Amino acid sequence: MTQNIQPPKAKKVLKTLSVHDDERRDDYFWLNDRENQDVIDYLNAENDYFDAVTSKYRDFENSLFEEMKARIKEDDESVPYKYNGYWYIVKYEVGKDYPIYLRKKDTLDNPDELLFDCNVMAEGHDYFKLVGLSVSPDNTMIAFGLDTVGRRNYTLQIKSLITDEIFLDAIENTTGSATWANDNKTLFYTVKDEKTLRSDKVFKHKLGSSSSKDTLVFHEEDDTFGVAVYKSKSKKYLIIACYSTLTNEYFTLNADTPDGDFSVFQERVRGLEYSISHYGDQFYIVTNADGAVNFKLMKTPENDTKFNHWTEVIPHRDLVLLEDIDIFKDFLVISERTNGLNQIRIKRWDNTEDYYLPFDNETYTAYTSTNVDFDTVILRYGYNSMTTPSSSIDFNMVTKEKTILKEQEVLDPTFDKDNYTSERVWATADDGTKVPISMVYKKGIKKDGTNPVLLYAYGSYGHTIDPYFSSLRLSLMNRGFIYAIAHVRGGEYLGRMWYEGGKLLQKKNTFTDFIACSKFLIAQNYTSSHHLYALGGSAGGLLIGAVINEAPELYNGVIAAVPFVDVLTTMLDDSIPLTTGEYDEWGNPNDKTYYEYMKSYSPYDNVKKQDYPHILITTGLHDSQVQYWEPAKWVAKLRDYKTDNNKLLMKTNMKAGHGGASGRFESLKEDAEEYAFLLDLENINV
């Protein structure tokens, strides 16, 4: 019986951490050493315990996996897009985990040219990820990045598309992305610091030469910034981007002269955010300059790029967030967000037309997608909602005709989108702020407090979780679950101020918003505390950790995936990947004000002797974003403190990192594990 299976008990080794005359006791600091066999043994013991406790519903879990897998079209392929004379396609084959990259010259009737078969390349690897495909302007070479560990540390290589030869000169510790100069022989790429994994250097590689002779082009010495390099859509400029949470800086170089020097576009000014797009003899700039909290669009001559030359094109609007732009020869396409909903605005450069694409759903997701062709009147965009599978659509910006190129197939004969309904409701936070919740469920549910609800949120970095369709969720909804997304502060769902209101010294708004949403769903009889579940990952795992410390009684169970929970210890260690770049999001705890605020909500530091809900925690041994030891320490401390007999499970993927398993079906197994955990708590096993 499950109750007779004893969980692992991590040994205690006292370490006292002292900062600002404050001492914190950490009995599990020793878990911060993946080379220590005792650490590996403990993680394996937790995995064994997980397997033992969940064995009673293993058959159900496997059937969930097969059910979710069966809805996915295995022999699938992407909608082709044309770039520089070739059509590019990604396809999947039956029974295979990884994509196959192809191209066709001129027309789709021509034979396939195989670029990469990732199924072959992944053989012998527990984890495999191919990224950053970059084709040379003459279409004869392709650069790509490989990660076979899961730590997002890529080996950069080059392949000849004439001979299929992969050059032996591999470049380690890169971001996996690279861009070609217009001479077809010069490649620019970014390198990561081996320890912190911060992308901090740009190098220049000459085809045919040893990478040991590569030239350092740029070194970002400020450890709160990262760096990237890419080419403008117009193909005229190579661009180095320096970025932090609050500040941007760019450098440009004519792509015809790769041995020249990059010129600064506009020197960094703390708090000045901007991004640049080239068109004609101008650069267009999305920026928060002059207090434009929701951003505005400006332009400047390409030869006079300093701030004093910037002029306004689209002014700042208090109720409209300007998210991005797409540049075409005759059209400017603007991606906006109003009252949480995506808007796509199309404007002729000569100002003879200016209109919005029509969307009439209550809650949906719409976005511009792959638009690499500059000289076209076709805009490709994507659309889906919580009830409608995703579609890829070509829109003729002249005739206003749209063509649905592909709608996601759900291979389930019982699926009918009209059997489900979605709605957006608004909870009221403690400070009176209205917090939106997007929901989807099968029609016919009654608001009698008995419905199981899975409430998801992220709430950090201004990253907005839009209401989107997922065929996997059908396995929950068809069994009576309501799925809900809480659009808490810390994202940008309701504009930039929505983000500002959930970061730094206002971070707790993210957590109290989620609690308010939970209480609303209970008060409105969508569910009760016996049937409410919470889910969050990474920074969303921090949210889950903070919430169950403060309001554990609201939930029957929670899932925290790769959770960021040991906030103070991590943010005080600038040798850990990504720490210094996070100061603008969480604050720098070397400052006592931020230290005390972080300490007041850090999940690990605030574990209490109290009852907790059922908890499932997942992590990856090679996680580069949130180190495995954070959830491991958290579980160990929870085991020591919690006063209930509820389940506390941790599953460590010993062969992967932050994103979990790499294969499309292997990752489904992780989804099935999570769903089985929830459904078992509801005593649903069919």
Side-chain angles (χ1 to χ4, degrees):
M1 298 292 291
T2 298
Q3 55 265 37
N4 295 326
I5 303 171
Q6 295 303 308
K9 191 170 180 63
K11 66 182 179 182
K12 293 183 178 181
V13 180
L14 176 60
K15 184 176 181 65
T16 301
L17 304 169
S18 181
V19 181
H20 303 302
D21 297 322
D22 178 61
E23 290 190 350
R24 289 184 299 132
R25 176 190 178 109
D26 191 344
D27 291 324
Y28 306 106
F29 188 88
W30 67 273
L31 286 167
N32 177 353
D33 183 4
R34 64 169 56 84
E35 304 302 321
N36 184 337
Q37 189 58 47
D38 287 347
V39 172
I40 300 302
D41 290 344
Y42 172 69
L43 297 178
N44 284 327
E46 285 285 359
N47 281 349
D48 291 342
Y49 178 68
F50 172 88
D51 290 338
V53 172
T54 60
S55 61
K56 68 172 185 174
Y57 56 77
R58 185 74 67 242
D59 289 344
F60 177 51
E61 178 186 309
N62 291 335
S63 69
L64 282 174
F65 165 72
E66 295 297 338
E67 176 181 296
M68 292 188 288
K69 180 181 176 184
R71 294 194 194 101
I72 298 173
K73 184 175 172 58
E74 291 196 44
D75 56 338
D76 201 7
E77 65 178 50
S78 65
V79 177
Y81 69 87
K82 196 171 188 181
Y83 179 69
N84 201 21
Y86 282 83
W87 291 93
Y88 288 87
I89 304 165
V90 182
K91 68 181 294 186
Y92 289 88
E93 294 182 345
V94 175
K96 295 185 178 180
D97 257 328
Y98 294 98
I100 299 169
Y101 293 89
L102 306 166
R103 70 176 184 176
K104 296 171 181 280
K105 185 174 175 58
D106 296 328
T107 73
L108 291 170
D109 295 326
N110 277 329
D112 293 341
E113 293 183 25
L114 176 65
L115 301 178
F116 299 102
D117 185 341
C118 293
N119 299 286
V120 175
M121 299 171 72
E123 290 177 1
H125 298 291
D126 294 313
Y127 180 93
F128 179 86
K129 189 78 170 179
L130 176 74
V131 301
L133 305 189
S134 178
V135 179
S136 61
D138 64 3
N139 294 308
T140 65
M141 298 283 174
I142 186 168
F144 61 97
L146 284 181
D147 177 13
T148 56
V149 175
R151 199 152 170 78
R152 299 185 182 180
N153 208 2
Y154 297 91
T155 299
L156 186 68
Q157 292 183 273
I158 302 170
K159 176 181 178 179
S160 168
L161 296 177
I162 305 300
T163 66
D164 283 338
E165 171 194 8
I166 294 180
F167 299 168
L168 296 177
D169 196 19
I171 304 170
E172 305 292 340
N173 300 320
T174 79
T175 61
S177 63
T179 192
W180 295 88
N182 290 342
D183 64 357
N184 298 295
K185 63 182 181 181
T186 307
L187 189 71
F188 292 82
Y189 62 92
T190 46
V191 166
K192 292 184 172 184
D193 180 278
E194 288 189 48
K195 188 173 184 180
T196 66
L197 300 185
R198 179 175 69 93
S199 55
D200 63 346
K201 296 181 181 71
V202 177
F203 280 88
K204 178 171 61 178
H205 175 76
K206 293 291 187 180
L207 209 59
S209 67
S210 169
S211 62
S212 63
K213 298 180 179 178
D214 288 355
T215 304
L216 176 63
V217 173
F218 183 84
H219 181 198
E220 177 52 74
E221 296 185 355
D222 186 331
D223 61 8
T224 66
F225 278 75
V227 65
V229 62
Y230 64 97
K231 189 187 291 185
S232 64
K233 185 176 176 179
S234 67
K235 304 179 185 178
K236 183 174 180 179
Y237 286 98
L238 297 161
I239 300 172
I240 292 175
C242 304
Y243 55 88
S244 71
T245 303
L246 294 175
T247 309
N248 299 100
E249 183 178 45
Y250 291 85
F251 298 81
T252 62
L253 173 65
N254 191 303
D256 290 332
T257 59
D259 293 327
D261 295 325
F262 281 83
S263 300
V264 64
F265 186 92
Q266 161 60 43
E267 293 86 353
R268 67 188 66 177
V269 176
R270 180 167 174 78
L272 175 63
E273 298 178 63
Y274 70 97
S275 61
I276 61 176
S277 301
H278 177 252
Y279 171 70
D281 59 358
Q282 304 274 337
F283 277 100
Y284 284 78
I285 308 147
V286 176
T287 180
N288 68 346
D290 305 315
V293 177
N294 276 334
F295 293 84
K296 61 181 177 179
L297 184 64
M298 305 185 78
K299 68 178 181 179
T300 192
E302 62 181 345
N303 296 321
D304 291 298
T305 62
K306 299 300 186 288
F307 177 72
N308 58 307
H309 296 288
W310 297 6
T311 57
E312 193 168 84
V313 178
I314 298 176
H316 174 261
R317 291 154 294 171
D318 290 336
L319 300 179
V320 180
L321 176 66
L322 199 167
E323 294 189 313
D324 202 1
I325 62 172
D326 286 274
I327 299 282
F328 295 88
K329 180 181 177 183
D330 296 321
F331 293 91
L332 170 66
V333 177
I334 307 111
S335 296
E336 302 176 347
R337 186 181 296 273
T338 304
N339 195 32
L341 300 180
N342 305 119
Q343 305 284 344
I344 298 177
R345 179 181 178 185
I346 297 171
K347 177 182 173 68
R348 278 190 179 271
W349 290 112
D350 62 9
N351 291 318
T352 57
E353 278 191 298
D354 188 346
Y355 60 94
Y356 286 85
L357 290 181
F359 302 115
D360 55 6
N361 222 321
E362 182 180 10
T363 180
Y364 62 87
T365 298
Y367 53 92
T368 63
S369 58
T370 308
N371 291 285
V372 294
D373 193 357
F374 175 73
D375 189 4
T376 180
V377 298
I378 302 298
L379 168 71
R380 181 164 295 176
Y381 72 95
Y383 175 88
N384 69 92
S385 73
M386 297 186 85
T387 59
T388 306
S390 59
S391 296
S392 183
I393 301 165
D394 271 0
F395 179 78
N396 188 309
M397 293 181 281
V398 174
T399 66
K400 300 182 176 59
E401 295 174 320
K402 74 175 185 178
T403 304
I404 299 177
L405 303 173
K406 180 180 180 180
E407 183 173 298
Q408 175 187 349
E409 291 186 60
V410 179
L411 301 184
D412 181 344
T414 67
F415 173 72
D416 181 345
K417 62 185 179 183
D418 291 332
N419 290 336
Y420 304 87
T421 189
S422 64
E423 62 176 317
R424 187 169 62 163
V425 295
W426 299 77
T428 303
D430 292 344
D431 62 1
T433 301
K434 297 292 185 181
V435 183
I437 309 169
S438 296
M439 307 170 62
V440 63
Y441 47 85
K442 202 165 185 179
K443 288 180 178 177
I445 70 159
K446 297 178 181 179
K447 294 184 183 179
D448 58 6
T450 66
N451 304 297
V453 170
L454 178 58
L455 182 62
Y456 171 81
Y458 184 72
S460 293
Y461 303 104
H463 180 63
T464 298
I465 305 297
D466 283 309
Y468 64 97
F469 180 83
S470 168
S471 67
L472 304 185
R473 276 189 223 130
L474 297 175
S475 292
L476 290 179
M477 293 190 296
N478 290 346
R479 292 175 171 87
F481 264 79
I482 297 171
Y483 184 89
I485 301 172
H487 302 290
V488 295
R489 278 174 282 188
E492 281 187 345
Y493 186 78
L494 291 178
R496 181 69 174 193
M497 291 308 295
W498 201 245
Y499 170 42
E500 299 292 340
K503 62 185 287 196
L504 296 173
L505 297 176
Q506 298 188 78
K507 186 64 212 171
K508 289 183 183 179
N509 285 337
T510 301
F511 317 138
T512 54
D513 282 359
F514 191 86
I515 291 171
C517 290
S518 301
K519 290 179 177 178
F520 173 86
L521 294 174
I522 293 171
Q524 297 299 311
N525 284 322
Y526 285 100
T527 190
S528 70
S529 60
H530 299 295
H531 300 286
L532 180 57
Y533 302 91
L535 168 65
S538 194
L542 161 65
L543 163 66
I544 298 299
V547 163
I548 62 172
N549 280 337
E550 292 303 313
E553 72 282 356
L554 295 177
Y555 311 95
N556 189 39
V558 302
I559 300 174
V562 292
F564 173 43
V565 286
D566 190 10
V567 180
L568 273 180
T569 307
T570 290
M571 292 303 297
L572 284 164
D573 185 353
D574 61 13
S575 71
I576 292 177
L578 309 181
T579 290
T580 54
E582 304 279 287
Y583 290 158
D584 287 335
E585 179 70 24
W586 312 103
N588 185 343
N590 294 297
D591 179 323
K592 187 176 181 180
T593 299
Y594 287 106
Y595 174 90
E596 292 176 344
Y597 189 74
M598 288 180 186
K599 185 180 179 183
S600 71
Y601 70 74
S602 174
Y604 182 65
D605 291 290
N606 288 281
V607 171
K608 303 171 185 176
K609 290 189 179 296
Q610 64 180 9
D611 286 357
Y612 282 90
H614 299 280
I615 303 171
L616 170 60
I617 297 165
T618 63
T619 187
L621 181 63
H622 302 292
D623 197 324
S624 60
Q625 312 300 107
V626 178
Q627 307 302 311
Y628 74 88
W629 58 76
E630 292 200 38
K633 290 167 58 177
W634 187 37
V635 167
K637 190 171 182 179
L638 279 167
R639 288 209 190 286
D640 190 38
Y641 276 63
K642 75 189 192 79
T643 54
D644 58 82
N645 293 316
N646 289 333
K647 294 176 184 175
L648 172 58
L649 303 175
M650 182 172 76
K651 176 69 178 289
T652 302
N653 188 328
M654 304 298 283
K655 300 173 181 177
H658 199 62
S662 56
R664 58 174 175 159
F665 299 133
E666 284 302 308
S667 62
L668 281 185
K669 292 178 181 177
E670 297 175 344
D671 294 315
E673 284 179 346
E674 294 181 0
Y675 281 16
F677 171 78
L678 297 172
L679 290 164
D680 178 66
L681 294 176
E682 283 291 310
N683 295 311
I684 299 172
N685 54 20
V686 292

